[in-house]
């Protein structure tokens, strides 16, 4: 089984170290906060804990997540982020980039910068894997990003992604149809796959009271992991899961195993954060759960 997009197959990795003994490198383009764990402030440590080198490029730099009721900081300009990517290119390191992870962009123009970065990496390493977390909204709140960003994800980003990780709300927008249940989500995921990505991983499905499910749909089949719902911190949970799934997908070509591993670690971290009464992920205090969750959920094959 392969998690790769567009029919490409990649060699299976047993660890985050390649056959030459070096750590795999991930370019992560998303937001950053000084306090808390969202965007790169969640993804970087998570991926490092899994054994990856991470090159963080921040699209925004805020004091904290806006969910706290207020924030200070600034949104980076597309030009400033493009300069950082060009600097990496100048050093010749993009040929050693094994994956690109994109998250919160902040500005529609940042999307074109992200695509340029992907194209630069692919020109240097055709085997790179691109994981796009199309951060734009969720059920109950609707869209919370600037105008133009949702359309960018649907009309531009999908064609450049190998893996896309929307929540149920975002999947509905990308597919242009409802996905109230698992069967509808399967249909919507197939629609999104036809737009480019080889693998669609959908979070936040509600298969029943007190349950939450995550679905992975690829060319090799479809799998679901159904777990008890944990009322833990909302901010950063999606960023954490996307990083975990990409990390596991780089370590194994088994989609079901990558899904089970990422869901299990996310569930464990949410539980630890809820038990601590924290509105932020307790990423540092409970870091061992990222690599050794107390319970491993199994992925059920749907087709």
């Amino acid at each position: 089984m392969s998690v790769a997009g567009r029919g490409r197959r990649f060699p299976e990795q047993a660890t985050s170290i390649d056959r030459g003994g070096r750590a795999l490198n991930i370019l992560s383009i998303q937001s950053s906060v000084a306090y808390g764990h969202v965007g790169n402030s969640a993804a970087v440590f998570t991926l490092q804990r899994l054994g990856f080198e991470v090159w963080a490029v921040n699209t925004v730099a805020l004091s904290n997540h806006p969910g706290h009721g207020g924030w200070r900081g600034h949104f980076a300009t597309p030009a400033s982020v493009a300069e950082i990517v060009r600097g990496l290119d100048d050093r010749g390191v993009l040929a050693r980039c094994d994956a690109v992870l994109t998250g919160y962009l902040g500005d529609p123009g940042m999307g074109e910068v992200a695509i340029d970065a992907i194209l630069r990496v692919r020109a240097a390493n055709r085997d790179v894997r691109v994981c796009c977390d199309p951060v734009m909204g969720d059920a109950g709140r609707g869209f919370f990003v600037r105008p133009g960003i949702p359309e960018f994800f649907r009309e531009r980003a999908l064609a450049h992604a190998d893996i896309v990780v929307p929540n149920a709300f975002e999947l509905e927008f990308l597919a242009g149809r409802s996905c109230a249940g698992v069967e509808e989500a399967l249909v919507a995921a197939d629609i999104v796959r036809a737009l480019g990505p080889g693998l669609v991983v959908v979070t936040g499905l509600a298969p029943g009271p007190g349950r939450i499910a995550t679905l992975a749909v690829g060319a090799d089949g479809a799998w679901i992991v159904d777990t008890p719902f944990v009322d833990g911190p909302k901010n950063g949970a999606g960023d954490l899961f996307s990083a975990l799934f990409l990390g596991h997908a780089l370590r194994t070509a088994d989609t079901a195993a990558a899904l089970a591993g990422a869901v299990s670690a996310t569930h464990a971290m949410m539980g630890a954060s809820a038990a601590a009464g924290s509105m932020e992920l307790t990423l540092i205090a409970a870091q061992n759960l990222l690599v050794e969750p107390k319970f491993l959920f199994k992925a059920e094959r749907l087709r």
Side-chain angles (χ1 to χ4, degrees):
M1 293 176 290
S2 172
V3 297
R6 289 185 286 278
R8 296 198 303 272
R9 286 187 173 270
F10 297 87
E12 184 166 349
Q13 296 284 346
T15 69
S16 51
I17 307 298
D18 74 1
R19 291 183 177 85
R22 70 172 178 87
L24 299 183
N25 301 308
I26 299 173
L27 174 63
S28 182
I29 305 174
Q30 50 186 317
S31 62
S32 176
V33 293
Y35 172 79
H37 298 288
V38 301
N40 269 335
S41 300
V44 172
F45 179 77
T46 296
L47 289 166
Q48 289 173 335
R49 193 66 177 79
L50 292 180
F52 296 94
E53 288 281 1
V54 187
W55 308 336
V57 176
N58 300 324
T59 57
V60 304
L62 305 182
S63 57
N64 54 268
H65 190 280
H68 285 277
W71 55 271
R72 292 182 183 274
H74 67 273
F75 283 59
T77 65
S80 65
V81 171
E83 276 293 291
I84 294 174
V85 174
R86 282 196 290 270
L88 292 173
D89 202 4
D90 290 344
R91 303 283 74 74
V93 300
L94 296 185
R96 302 199 302 273
C97 181
D98 300 285
V100 179
L101 174 63
T102 67
Y104 184 84
L105 297 176
D107 183 279
M110 200 70 73
E112 298 303 325
V113 174
I115 288 177
D116 177 72
I118 291 167
L119 293 176
R120 287 173 182 266
V121 173
R122 278 217 166 107
N125 175 15
R126 63 183 180 85
D127 287 339
V128 69
R129 271 180 270 187
V130 177
C131 180
C132 171
D133 183 353
V135 180
M136 52 182 159
D138 55 34
R141 284 199 295 171
F143 293 112
F144 51 67
V145 294
R146 293 179 177 180
I149 290 179
E151 292 77 12
F152 163 79
F153 282 122
R154 184 170 61 190
E155 298 167 10
R156 295 278 290 139
L158 293 179
H160 297 276
D162 297 300
I163 306 167
V164 62
V165 192
N167 61 35
F169 172 85
E170 292 160 344
L171 177 65
E172 288 190 344
F173 174 78
L174 294 174
R177 60 167 292 147
S178 170
C179 60
V182 173
E183 290 302 320
E184 290 188 350
L186 281 168
V187 174
D190 285 337
I191 292 172
V192 172
R193 285 188 62 245
L195 298 175
L199 183 65
V200 176
V201 183
V202 188
T203 64
L205 296 171
R211 310 293 298 181
I212 189 168
T214 308
L215 176 71
V217 183
D220 297 331
W223 296 263
I224 192 167
V225 178
D226 184 345
T227 73
F229 174 77
V230 177
D231 191 14
K234 304 298 186 295
N235 302 329
D239 305 321
L240 170 66
F241 175 80
S242 295
L244 283 165
F245 185 83
L246 176 60
H248 282 281
L250 289 170
R251 297 170 77 172
T252 176
D254 187 330
T255 303
L259 181 65
V263 170
S264 298
T266 302
H267 185 272
M269 184 60 65
M270 294 290 283
S273 303
S278 174
M279 68 179 296
E280 293 285 347
L281 295 169
T282 55
L283 203 62
I284 306 304
Q287 61 182 273
N288 287 345
L289 296 176
L290 296 172
V291 292
E292 294 183 0
K294 294 180 179 179
F295 184 82
L296 182 62
F297 293 96
K298 292 184 178 180
E300 176 188 353
R301 185 165 194 144
L302 298 179
R303 68 185 190 200

